[in-house]
């Protein structure tokens, strides 16, 4: 039995990760300040004696004897991370320092949830890990993009300077049950709007693309990365290479919900990336042939079922 700390464990991805790690027989500490996550996401785990829920803000140091740390704490939706940009960058940077400091002290292995946002508005398509990105350092997305980029630097430097065992994953747009219905990301927005018969809000002309990964595929890749060859640090892309325009996504959601909602067009937010698609060859090679198993229609159907319970 491993003792595992999951920061941001009460969030969308973190709660699925906690559940899976508990099911595999581990002792799990879920740390969260409930900024975008909630106790509701993990309430079904509270009866398990090997699950502990801790209210803590990762910008402050935390101490616990653990073997592994998954550092997931950080708001991920543009609406939420732009709400308090200084706090967002503190969460990424001080959160990384505190997590790495703990890992160094207790000799734990630590995995960083980085993001495809480190590629910014990419000029290389699809994006391999070797691409350095095209990020605006002073725009409205910078608090998140640059915070995550700095966290990657800290992870690499704690490894080279202090020999901390690290892993870095770059997560591409992921969706599924337990996304916050109000968090402003495109999948949750479109599904909630379609289920409530409201207009579907397309930003810009809707021709920008994203590649959507179902959460179970991400959790599988994340755990494989933690358990991979210690010499393989990453960063490694985890995402589903099937790419869709926002118009195609809206059409799929309308079809699957049998909604009568209409599309409305709204201004494109500043620095909104035009396209995004992961190159997952490295993940396939290093993570025992990992690749996404759940395609958009199946994943959306499961997600819609969840959001129906939130109406
Ligand atoms: P989420 O907002 O649902 O989860 C983040 C969790 O972190 C929440 O429970 C929140 O309360 C907690 N948190 C935020 N600030 C904190 C702080 N200072 N101290 C302690 N807890 C804090 O988002 P998610 O989609 O589950 O994302 C999880 C991680 O994966 C994030 O690091 C995010 O950047 C990364 N990621 C997610 C996606 C995606 O598409 N879902 C894509 C790229 C990267
Ligand atoms: N988007 C949209 N309507 C919405 C919310 C988002 O058209 O109601 C667009 C957004 O402009 C972006 C894409 O959907 O081009 C994905 O947005 P999201 O916030 O989910 O994630 P991002 O990949 O931009 O971080």
């Amino acid at each position: 039995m491993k003792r595992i700390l999951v920061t941001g464990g009460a969030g969308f991805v973190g709660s699925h990760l906690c559940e899976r790690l508990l099911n595999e027989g581990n002792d799990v500490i879920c740390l969260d300040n409930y900024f975008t996550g909630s106790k509701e996401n993990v309430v079904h785990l509270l009866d398990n004696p090997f699950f502990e829920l801790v209210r803590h803000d990762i910008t402050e140091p935390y101490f616990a004897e653990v073997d592994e740390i998954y550092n997931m704490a950080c708001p991920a939706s543009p609406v939420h991370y732009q709400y308090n940009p200084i706090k967002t960058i503190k969460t990424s940077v001080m959160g990384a320092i505190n997590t790495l400091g703990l890992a160094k002290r207790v000799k734990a292995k630590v995995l960083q949830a980085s993001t495809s946002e480190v590629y910014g508005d990419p000029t290389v398509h699809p994006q391999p890990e070797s691409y350095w990105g095209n990020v605006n350092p002073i725009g409205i997305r910078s608090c998140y993009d640059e915070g995550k980029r700095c966290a990657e630097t800290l992870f690499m430097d704690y490894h080279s300077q202090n020999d901390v065992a690290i892993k870095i994953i770059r997560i591409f747009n992921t969706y599924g049950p337990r996304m916050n219905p109000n968090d402003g990301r495109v999948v949750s927005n479109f599904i909630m709007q379609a289920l409530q018969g409201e207009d579907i809000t397309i930003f810009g002309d809707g021709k920008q693309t994203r590649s959507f990964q179902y959460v179970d595929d991400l959790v599988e890749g994340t755990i494989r990365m933690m358990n991979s060859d210690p010499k393989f640090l990453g960063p490694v892309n985890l995402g589903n290479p099937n790419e869709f325009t926002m118009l195609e996504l809206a059409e799929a959601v309308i079809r699957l919900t049998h909604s009568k909602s209409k599309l409305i067009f709204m201004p494109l937010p500043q620095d909104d990336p035009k396209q995004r698609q992961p190159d997952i060859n490295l993940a396939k090679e290093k993570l025992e042939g990992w690749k996404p198993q759940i395609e958009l229609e199946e994943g959306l159907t499961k997600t819609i079922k969840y959001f129906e319970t939130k109406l």
Side-chain angles (χ1 to χ4, degrees):
M1 178 181 270
K2 284 187 282 197
R3 298 159 304 174
I4 302 179
L5 171 66
V6 180
T7 76
F12 156 52
V13 176
S15 65
H16 287 274
L17 189 59
C18 287
E19 190 175 312
R20 170 80 186 265
L21 293 169
L22 280 171
N23 286 342
E24 289 179 354
N26 298 293
D27 188 336
V28 175
I29 302 173
C30 166
L31 176 155
D32 209 292
N33 71 348
Y34 306 119
F35 173 47
T36 51
S38 71
K39 284 187 188 166
E40 214 183 313
N41 285 340
V42 288
V43 74
H44 61 295
L45 306 177
L46 288 174
D47 286 343
N48 189 323
F50 297 105
F51 182 71
E52 266 169 271
L53 190 52
V54 178
R55 181 190 294 266
H56 183 81
D57 192 308
I58 200 59
T59 58
E60 301 291 336
Y62 174 75
F63 183 81
E65 287 284 351
V66 290
D67 305 302
E68 289 178 356
I69 306 168
Y70 289 86
N71 187 32
M72 314 301 289
C74 187
S77 139
V79 174
H80 283 144
Y81 71 63
Q82 288 164 23
Y83 169 76
N84 184 343
I86 296 171
K87 177 72 189 200
T88 299
I89 202 159
K90 279 187 179 171
T91 294
S92 274
V93 175
M94 292 163 70
I97 292 171
N98 289 329
T99 319
L100 286 158
L102 173 62
K104 179 182 166 193
R105 195 162 158 194
V106 300
K107 298 199 174 358
K109 183 164 39 163
V110 56
L111 177 145
Q112 167 67 359
S114 189
T115 169
S116 54
E117 285 288 317
V118 301
Y119 302 123
D121 190 3
T123 54
V124 169
H125 195 74
Q127 295 82 55
E129 290 82 354
S130 53
Y131 176 51
W132 289 354
N134 176 34
V135 174
N136 176 357
I138 53 168
I140 56 171
R141 295 175 86 103
S142 322
C143 59
Y144 184 74
D145 301 6
E146 297 289 14
K148 290 283 188 180
R149 286 169 68 96
C150 182
E152 286 198 10
T153 310
L154 284 161
F155 268 67
M156 282 300 173
D157 289 344
Y158 267 76
H159 175 72
S160 53
Q161 200 175 326
N162 292 324
D163 213 19
V164 174
I166 63 140
K167 301 275 179 184
I168 301 172
I169 56 170
R170 290 184 179 154
I171 305 172
F172 283 65
N173 295 64
T174 301
Y175 69 98
R178 300 199 205 119
M179 285 183 97
N180 185 334
N182 304 316
D183 92 352
R185 281 183 273 189
V186 70
V187 174
S188 43
N189 270 10
F190 285 5
I191 294 178
M192 287 306 283
Q193 289 161 346
L195 290 176
Q196 293 172 320
E198 291 169 3
D199 292 338
I200 306 251
T201 51
I202 307 273
F203 297 168
D205 61 8
K207 291 189 181 139
Q208 70 274 36
T209 67
R210 295 293 186 273
S211 307
F212 296 104
Q213 165 175 239
Y214 189 68
V215 63
D216 291 358
D217 287 326
L218 171 62
V219 168
E220 178 65 34
T222 303
I223 292 175
R224 283 195 198 192
M225 179 57 174
M226 182 63 107
N227 297 327
S228 65
D229 180 344
K231 289 196 281 299
F232 179 56
L233 313 178
V236 65
N237 290 338
L238 292 179
N240 187 324
N242 282 339
E243 188 180 358
F244 298 89
T245 65
M246 296 312 102
L247 286 172
E248 287 168 335
L249 176 70
E251 280 157 17
V253 169
I254 288 176
R255 184 165 41 80
L256 295 170
T257 52
H258 312 288
S259 174
K260 296 198 166 51
S261 292
K262 306 248 169 316
L263 306 187
I264 56 161
F265 291 85
M266 299 177 68
L268 189 68
Q270 189 198 323
D271 294 340
D272 199 280
K274 283 180 273 310
Q275 54 180 6
R276 195 182 281 154
Q277 186 194 39
D279 176 332
I280 59 166
N281 286 316
L282 186 64
K284 281 186 187 158
E285 182 198 326
K286 299 286 189 182
L287 307 179
E288 298 167 1
W290 174 86
K291 62 178 184 338
Q293 304 294 325
I294 300 178
E295 291 310 338
L296 190 68
E297 184 144 337
E298 185 186 351
L300 281 180
T301 305
K302 290 174 194 254
T303 311
I304 289 165
K305 224 179 241 169
Y306 170 79
F307 280 113
E308 280 169 345
T309 68
K310 297 282 141 191
L311 294 176

